[in-house]
Amino acid sequence: MPTARPVPLEPAAFATAYRFRSVALLADAEDTPPVARRMARETLDDWELPWLVDDVVLCVSELVGNAVRHVAGRRRIGLTLRYWPRWLFVEVTDEDPAPPRLPSGDPSGLDLLPEHGRGLFIVQSLADATWWAPRDAGGKSVFCRFDVTAGRGVA
């Protein structure tokens, strides 16, 4: 998975997004994954992007699930959705500085039986782009981008 330069704690792009929604969650709260999925689903419904709901909710579920598994204790996880007329960006932040690990090699050779290790492959398969960046204050952000016009048949 490609890496980029460190991401500031408060991204400068907030003001330039057409639409923006964010929620802070706790890694050890039992309802963190369902709250994240519900927020993504309701946000895309509000923004009238129904053709993206299933893929985005699955990606949010995988990214937040990874953060919950790898961030111990009462640490924060952030979920942010940014929408421009052509793109939807999903960002999941956590306080673990370790980079995400993708399965290596040919995806057709993946062992589909293990409990762990498929999430980022699923995200890469569904999103139009996936990457991560370290955060200035520690931790990391994992991003995925969906091309909004692709689902509507618009070039």
Side-chain angles (χ1 to χ4, degrees), residues 136-154:
D136 287 341
K140 66 180 167 298
S141 290
V142 180
F143 300 90
C144 57
R145 187 196 78 228
F146 295 85
D147 296 343
V148 173
T149 55
R152 300 193 88 176
V154 178

Side-chain angles (χ1 to χ4, degrees), residues 72-89:
R74 294 192 57 81
R75 296 177 108 182
R76 293 177 305 177
I77 296 170
L79 169 60
T80 303
L81 302 176
R82 291 180 188 88
Y83 170 38
W84 281 266
R86 293 182 56 193
W87 306 286
L88 175 77
F89 290 87

Side-chain angles (χ1 to χ4, degrees), residues 5-9 133-140:
R5 61 181 173 71
V7 175
L9 186 57
R135 295 177 61 84
D136 287 341
K140 66 180 167 298

Side-chain angles (χ1 to χ4, degrees), residues 66 69-70 111 113-119:
N66 283 347
R69 269 190 297 284
H70 299 292
D111 182 357
L113 297 176
E115 278 293 310
H116 306 291
R118 297 182 310 255

Side-chain angles (χ1 to χ4, degrees), residues 9-30:
L9 186 57
E10 296 295 328
F14 284 165
T16 62
Y18 174 66
R19 301 244 173 116
F20 168 84
R21 194 163 294 167
S22 185
V23 64
L25 305 161
L26 292 175
D28 65 345
E30 288 182 19

Side-chain angles (χ1 to χ4, degrees), residues 116-136:
H116 306 291
R118 297 182 310 255
L120 289 174
F121 175 74
I122 291 169
V123 172
Q124 281 191 317
S125 298
L126 295 175
D128 293 296
T130 307
W131 68 98
W132 77 279
R135 295 177 61 84
D136 287 341

